[in-house]
Amino acid sequence: FILFLSGKNRSVPPSPSCSLTTVDFEQISQFQLSLFDHVSDNLITVFFHGCHIISSTIPCVARPFSVVVAIDFGTTSSGYAFSFTEDPDVIHMMRRWEDGDPGVANQKSPTCLLLTPDLHFHSFGFAARDSYHDLDPEEARLWLYFDKFKMKIHSTSDLTMETELEAVSGRRVRAIEVFAHALRFFRKHSMKEVQEASPSCLESDEVRWVITVPAVWRQPAKQFMREAAYLAGLVSSESPEQLLIALEPEAASIYCRKLRLHQMIDLSHRPLANGLDPDASRIFDSSFRQAREQLRRARHSRTFLVESGTGELWSEMQTGDRYIVADCGGGTVDLTVHQIEQPQGTLKELYKASGGPYGAVGVDLAFEAMLCHIFGADFIESFKTKRPAAWVDLMIAFEARKRTAAPGRNNALNISLPFSFIDFYKKHQGQSVETALRKSNMNIVKWSSQGMLRLTPEAMNELFQPTINNIIKHIEELMQKEEVQGVRFLFLVGGFAESPMLQRAAQCALGPNCRIIIPQDVGLTILKGAVLFGLDPTVVRVRRCPLTYGVGVLNRFVDGRHPRDKLLVKDGREWCTDILDRFVSVDQSVALGEVVRRSYTPARVGQRKIIINIYCSTTDDVIYITDPGVRKCGAITLDLPEPITAEGRHNGNTTSERREIRATMQFGDTEIKVTAVDVATDRFVRASIDFLSN
């Protein structure tokens, strides 16, 4: 039988940097009720002391790094930048991408990957897109082309290391391998540039890597990106501190606080008359043309100088001033609420990150739905399968025209249909695309004899509005929160923030309540901020917990307070099962460096592994791990080496005193981290936290 011990009135001497709260109750960790009936070598219930320690110190960087390399892994486009720690005021941008789209500033590369039929890496970005385009149609069906594949990680609720991605041709491969191929590509290209810019030869352990992810991503998705980085060889799993996961809107916020006034576009520079501004599209277009021209002039050096302090706009801010950063990307829209702390310039998160799948991809999906309405969903699906390269060409053509859509535009936008689309439709449907368009009764889409779909301004508006409405609604709902009311600024960042359609909607709906600011280099805002984050990970001092986290425990059963169906009698003592012991609560403020500590003891001598299930909830009103909305989301594993005596000898005495393992969990960073120590010997115990193996 298992011997259960209690931790009543247990106290731990506080360290100089820690304040201590002693919990005065009896409780025991539990995994599942079945563990009381079945005991294995590994899954064994453990003793829980109930000590909750909060440290107020901010940890220092454990090791020096010579260079920080940031990878902005986006849904539609990706890129990298780096900075040397000896010269942190200079950010080196990646080289201009070759073979880019004519007329587009190719600051980043499309997030698309091409694998050979035998699953070997072929190319990434523009090279992948162009190579796939040049393949023979029959040959293309054997190759694997992945486009906008990052969204799969956000939309998969049960993400694991075995989750698969489907290529355009329909073939499937493990998602972790696709992401690793992409990260390996960026490692190769970025390190080549770093070595060229560095006067000395850098060792691999001198590089700190930063990878950006949406703030709304849960822990499994963040861990997935970390595992992909390990597989790609960016860093070793034995040196996890070399890799930082940066939250995209947070990175943008870090960068925006450095902006000077001439580096911003203020959409609130003039009032709207009756909610309309006939010159708005011209102003927006002119502003961005000027911004792009400035970028072109500076691109020969590919360096960006960072302000040593904060920009003029931020210097005007007073304690308590709040602002929202809306990262409008290709796949998701991420919202974060920050307050800048003067004079040190650190940031404090005021409300948990929020957002959703409201990125620019939504406009692409609306266009695909329009094609399905005109030509039939079955035909579109067949065309995508039988002519995958042509389908990619069609979406590229739409993407180019989508970027030119503006509220004040009066003429139609022409989208070229590939010849294979026209031919394929006639062969399989027995009629022309012109006939199909006429029968669809879609008056807002016309046909050109030159082989083009002519989308009227009304048609483009229909494609944009659902996605834009979701973005505006989400920002408005966020502004109604008590913690967010009274924000002074709204910063629009991300690639979709370049769209005049989104800018006009934001100005009309949100302009009266706050100033709307757009950085001129809006597409590179997150990338530059990620470099700054890698140089100083302590810049965000306080974050908000997105979920409630805890473990299931046994408490002494109290009649009248605990339900009878939770009663467990063991060795004459009554226990209440399934109680959730909270580590942190949803939307709780957690400062960087604050930790939660729990002490566990193996149930029997000689046990070599402790596994503690972690549960989470979107609310804080939960009592039991069986309550609605509570789910098992991960597990902490403590690998226990054979105990060592004070003389350094292995202790094989099976009657030795019980062993205490103290686990320390940090929730104030962008990832949840855990470490553990054997209290008797003060030696570190191998500890890991896993959110991908449920």
Side-chain angles (χ1 to χ4, degrees):
F1 287 94
I2 304 173
L3 175 64
F4 297 101
L5 303 173
S6 68
K8 188 174 184 179
N9 293 326
R10 176 154 183 99
S11 63
V12 179
S15 65
S17 63
C18 299
S19 59
L20 175 67
T21 301
T22 303
V23 181
D24 184 14
F25 57 85
E26 294 181 354
Q27 60 181 20
I28 296 176
S29 270
Q30 69 166 43
F31 306 136
Q32 301 289 348
L33 288 179
S34 60
L35 289 173
F36 290 98
D37 303 317
H38 174 73
V39 180
S40 66
D41 289 338
N42 292 334
L43 291 178
I44 293 188
T45 191
V46 295
F47 168 69
F48 172 71
H49 289 309
C51 296
H52 184 198
I53 301 176
I54 296 293
S55 167
S56 60
T57 59
I58 296 179
C60 297
V61 177
R63 57 181 299 166
F65 296 99
S66 298
V67 63
V68 171
V69 181
I71 300 174
D72 179 11
F73 200 114
T75 300
T76 57
S77 59
S78 301
Y80 62 86
F82 59 93
S83 179
F84 294 99
T85 54
E86 290 185 351
D87 193 12
D89 293 335
V90 178
I91 296 177
H92 302 262
M93 308 306 297
M94 60 276 176
R95 283 197 181 99
R96 180 182 175 91
W97 296 97
E98 301 299 329
D99 303 320
D101 295 323
V104 177
N106 303 309
Q107 300 158 358
K108 294 196 288 186
S109 181
T111 307
C112 46
L113 177 78
L114 182 62
L115 301 182
T116 64
D118 54 359
L119 304 183
H120 290 146
F121 175 82
H122 181 273
S123 50
F124 182 89
F126 291 114
R129 193 189 68 183
D130 295 342
S131 297
Y132 190 60
H133 171 272
D134 292 339
L135 289 173
D136 178 87
E138 292 303 317
E139 187 181 9
R141 294 172 60 182
L142 302 177
W143 288 60
L144 290 85
Y145 180 82
F146 299 92
D147 188 21
K148 301 181 178 65
F149 50 87
K150 183 183 174 184
M151 277 298 291
K152 175 71 173 181
I153 306 305
H154 177 77
S155 59
T156 301
S157 58
D158 55 347
L159 183 66
T160 71
M161 295 288 284
E162 301 304 317
T163 297
E164 292 184 332
L165 289 177
E166 184 175 311
V168 173
S169 60
R171 292 186 61 186
R172 304 179 69 85
V173 68
R174 284 204 312 158
I176 193 76
E177 296 175 6
V178 175
F179 279 79
H181 279 307
L183 291 175
R184 199 175 293 117
F185 168 85
F186 280 112
R187 182 197 67 182
K188 175 183 176 182
H189 280 258
S190 61
M191 287 310 299
K192 182 179 179 181
E193 283 199 61
V194 169
Q195 295 290 358
E196 291 175 356
S198 173
S200 59
C201 185
L202 293 172
E203 300 294 333
S204 59
D205 61 356
E206 294 183 77
V207 181
R208 161 162 273 173
W209 295 88
V210 182
I211 299 177
T212 65
V213 302
V216 292
W217 272 17
R218 299 304 187 199
Q219 293 301 322
K222 296 176 185 177
Q223 182 184 338
F224 180 91
M225 290 300 292
R226 177 170 286 275
E227 295 293 341
Y230 292 155
L231 186 60
L234 265 68
V235 300
S236 166
S237 58
E238 301 301 318
S239 304
E241 74 280 358
Q242 270 193 263
L243 172 64
L244 295 177
I245 300 296
L247 309 182
E248 289 165 356
E250 201 173 89
S253 181
I254 293 170
Y255 168 71
C256 284
R257 86 195 209 286
K258 298 282 190 178
L259 287 174
R260 304 299 297 267
L261 291 178
H262 70 274
Q263 296 170 320
M264 307 176 186
I265 298 171
D266 191 343
L267 296 189
S268 308
H269 69 286
R270 59 183 296 176
L272 292 174
N274 300 320
L276 295 174
D277 182 359
D279 298 325
S281 61
R282 180 182 56 80
I283 293 170
F284 295 152
D285 185 56
S286 174
S287 298
F288 274 102
R289 275 207 307 271
Q290 294 174 14
R292 289 194 185 100
E293 184 58 34
Q294 291 178 16
L295 289 172
R296 285 193 194 96
R297 287 198 298 267
R299 191 166 290 135
H300 68 277
S301 63
R302 293 183 293 108
T303 58
F304 176 80
L305 299 180
V306 181
E307 289 293 316
S308 56
T310 55
E312 299 113 321
L313 188 67
W314 305 90
S315 300
E316 298 174 4
M317 286 189 175
Q318 302 175 355
T319 300
D321 282 350
R322 306 163 178 178
Y323 65 93
I324 295 175
V325 175
D327 171 22
C328 306
T332 58
V333 167
D334 257 350
L335 307 179
T336 191
V337 186
H338 276 169
Q339 171 184 314
I340 193 166
E341 299 175 311
Q342 302 290 23
Q344 64 272 33
T346 54
L347 301 175
K348 178 180 180 181
E349 188 176 27
L350 300 179
Y351 190 77
K352 65 179 180 178
S354 61
Y358 316 134
V361 170
V363 183
D364 300 340
L365 295 176
F367 176 64
E368 183 177 337
M370 177 181 287
L371 293 178
C372 289
H373 177 80
I374 297 172
F375 303 107
D378 292 341
F379 168 78
I380 294 298
E381 197 60 36
S382 177
F383 181 74
K384 290 167 65 175
T385 303
K386 300 291 181 61
R387 299 289 187 271
W391 173 256
V392 171
D393 286 347
L394 175 56
M395 295 310 295
I396 290 173
F398 174 72
E399 173 70 23
R401 305 308 293 155
K402 180 179 73 173
R403 292 173 179 266
T404 66
R409 189 183 184 105
N410 295 319
N411 57 317
L413 288 173
N414 294 329
I415 307 222
S416 298
L417 285 180
F419 173 77
S420 58
F421 184 99
I422 300 172
D423 183 64
F424 196 78
Y425 185 80
K426 189 169 185 177
K427 286 181 178 178
H428 287 75
Q429 304 299 114
Q431 61 181 9
S432 67
V433 294
E434 183 179 5
T435 302
L437 187 60
R438 187 168 57 252
K439 289 182 177 180
S440 69
N441 293 322
M442 289 200 69
N443 297 326
I444 57 176
V445 181
K446 309 295 183 181
W447 174 250
S448 166
S449 58
Q450 298 179 351
M452 297 181 180
L453 289 179
R454 292 177 55 81
L455 274 62
T456 63
E458 293 79 13
M460 292 303 293
N461 188 63
E462 280 196 16
L463 296 181
F464 273 86
Q465 282 312 307
T467 298
I468 289 177
N469 289 343
N470 279 328
I471 296 172
I472 299 301
K473 179 182 177 183
H474 204 87
I475 296 175
E476 288 177 333
E477 290 176 351
L478 179 63
M479 286 183 168
Q480 297 303 313
K481 304 292 183 183
E482 181 179 350
E483 301 88 340
V484 187
Q485 289 183 4
V487 295
R488 291 185 59 190
F489 301 96
L490 168 64
F491 290 87
L492 292 181
V493 301
F496 198 26
E498 290 191 52
S499 168
M501 304 286 279
L502 176 59
Q503 294 169 15
R504 165 69 70 82
Q507 188 186 28
C508 291
L510 308 170
N513 301 318
C514 62
R515 288 178 64 183
I516 302 174
I517 307 293
I518 302 178
Q520 287 187 341
D521 54 348
V522 62
L524 300 176
T525 300
I526 293 167
L527 183 54
K528 293 177 180 177
V531 174
L532 297 176
F533 176 68
L535 291 168
D536 180 14
T538 67
V539 63
V540 181
R541 193 184 61 82
V542 178
R543 292 184 174 89
R544 295 280 185 149
C545 295
L547 296 170
T548 295
Y549 288 100
V551 297
V553 299
L554 302 173
N555 276 3
R556 291 299 301 272
F557 189 87
V558 179
D559 266 323
R561 188 173 76 183
H562 297 141
R564 298 298 297 180
D565 62 353
K566 299 291 185 185
L567 173 63
L568 175 76
V569 179
K570 193 68 179 178
D571 296 335
R573 303 186 74 176
E574 294 184 339
W575 301 93
C576 179
T577 66
D578 295 335
I579 292 179
L580 179 73
D581 169 50
R582 285 177 185 79
F583 293 157
V584 289
S585 299
V586 62
D587 207 32
Q588 174 184 333
S589 289
V590 183
L592 188 63
E594 288 187 1
V595 297
V596 176
R597 287 182 180 156
R598 296 289 193 268
S599 291
Y600 301 97
T601 294
R604 61 179 177 79
V605 175
Q607 184 178 339
R608 291 290 174 263
K609 191 183 293 289
I610 296 176
I611 300 178
I612 306 108
N613 290 333
I614 303 174
Y615 296 86
C616 67
S617 171
T618 57
T619 63
D620 190 35
D621 58 351
V622 295
I623 300 175
Y624 304 100
I625 62 174
T626 54
D627 285 351
V630 180
R631 60 185 177 86
K632 184 168 91 74
C633 62
I636 298 173
T637 300
L638 308 175
D639 291 314
L640 310 181
E642 187 174 345
I644 300 177
T645 64
E647 293 78 18
R649 296 191 302 270
H650 289 282
N651 186 357
N653 183 2
T654 56
T655 62
S656 61
E657 187 177 330
R658 64 183 177 81
R659 190 179 184 187
E660 180 181 342
I661 307 298
R662 183 175 299 153
T664 301
M665 288 154 285
Q666 182 174 334
F667 291 88
D669 213 331
T670 58
E671 299 173 273
I672 299 175
K673 301 175 182 177
V674 61
T675 57
V677 173
D678 189 326
V679 174
T681 62
D682 202 31
R683 293 174 180 269
F684 278 99
V685 171
R686 186 179 180 88
S688 60
I689 187 165
D690 185 12
F691 294 96
L692 285 173
S693 300
N694 277 329

